[in-house]
Amino acid sequence: MKKIISGTFAILLILLFSSCGSSPEKMSAKIAKLEKEVKEQSPADTVKINELVEAYSKYASKYPKDTLAPEYLFRAGGMCLSFNKPSKAISLFQQVEKDYPSFSRVGECLFMQGFIYENALGDFSKAGSIYREFIAKYPGHPLADDAEMSLKYLGRPAEDIVRDFEKKEADSAAVVQEK
């Protein structure tokens, strides 16, 4: 009788622990719930945002071969950038680039690194290097023109950039009037 009770207890424990384990579906559902909560909060709840970034990272760590893993890491990088964690964002974008080279948004990951170095960290040298690498690797990418423009104006004060655009606009208007 004692063996039956202890055997039954062991089976119950195994069932309990296996049901508490997380599956990709359960983790995705938790992520979807957190995303909804973050979207609906105004102002943003930094605790929930950190929880969401952690959930994205945990999913990718636990299920690295899943097709959602690089997408979740990409989203985590975007969240970190939006909530003033530029170094963490760069790290996440680099992870996507390194671990998922065939991910459809890997080019954006490289571009975003340049963008963060330029705009959030003010490291124009590093930004320029990354933009040049991006252009070399992805010359036909929709962001290639943006990378070219960023290189052209890298480190220049906003007033100079506005002045250049106003001059181009005035020159274009003059050409139209001549016709």
Side-chain angles (χ1 to χ4, degrees), residues 115-167:
F115 179 86
I116 293 166
Y117 276 110
E118 176 186 7
N119 296 291
L121 299 175
D123 187 339
F124 303 123
S125 173
K126 185 75 173 167
S129 172
I130 291 173
Y131 285 141
R132 282 187 284 284
E133 179 184 351
F134 174 82
I135 293 164
K137 281 184 174 179
Y138 306 101
H141 194 282
L143 291 171
D145 289 343
D146 294 340
E148 292 277 358
M149 193 66 83
S150 293
L151 277 172
K152 181 177 178 180
Y153 293 106
L154 199 60
R156 290 183 56 195
E159 301 82 35
D160 288 355
I161 298 169
V162 170
R163 202 173 310 118
D164 281 359
F165 279 109
E166 287 172 345
K167 184 179 178 332

Side-chain angles (χ1 to χ4, degrees), residues 11-12 27-28 34 46 76 85 89 112 114 116 119 127 132 145:
I11 290 171
L12 286 173
M27 288 184 82
S28 288
L34 283 168
T46 55
K85 295 181 178 184
M112 290 306 297
I116 293 166
N119 296 291
R132 282 187 284 284
D145 289 343

Side-chain angles (χ1 to χ4, degrees), residues 1-145:
M1 182 71 166
K2 205 174 196 183
K3 284 185 180 185
I4 292 173
I5 293 173
S6 63
T8 305
F9 183 70
I11 290 171
L12 286 173
L13 279 177
I14 290 170
L15 288 173
L16 177 67
F17 285 118
S18 65
S19 68
C20 291
S22 58
S23 66
E25 294 79 19
K26 285 181 185 177
M27 288 184 82
S28 288
K30 179 183 177 185
I31 287 170
K33 181 179 179 250
L34 283 168
E35 287 174 332
K36 186 176 186 236
E37 290 172 3
V38 166
K39 247 182 229 175
E40 291 173 350
Q41 295 247 303
S42 184
D45 179 348
T46 55
V47 172
K48 285 279 184 214
I49 290 162
N50 289 333
E51 192 177 335
L52 179 56
V53 168
E54 182 62 31
Y56 285 144
S57 296
K58 197 176 283 185
Y59 186 98
S61 175
K62 192 161 186 161
Y63 305 106
K65 302 255 187 251
D66 192 296
T67 56
L68 283 174
E71 178 63 31
Y72 283 163
L73 290 173
F74 183 83
R75 291 181 194 178
M79 283 275 195
C80 288
L81 176 59
S82 296
F83 292 95
N84 203 24
K85 295 181 178 184
S87 297
K88 176 75 173 164
I90 287 171
S91 173
L92 288 160
F93 289 132
Q94 287 172 337
Q95 183 180 353
V96 173
E97 192 182 4
K98 179 178 140 278
D99 294 346
Y100 304 96
S102 60
F103 177 53
S104 63
R105 300 176 84 177
V106 75
E108 285 176 68
C109 289
L110 184 58
F111 178 86
M112 290 306 297
Q113 291 170 58
F115 179 86
I116 293 166
Y117 276 110
E118 176 186 7
N119 296 291
L121 299 175
D123 187 339
F124 303 123
S125 173
K126 185 75 173 167
S129 172
I130 291 173
Y131 285 141
R132 282 187 284 284
E133 179 184 351
F134 174 82
I135 293 164
K137 281 184 174 179
Y138 306 101
H141 194 282
L143 291 171
D145 289 343

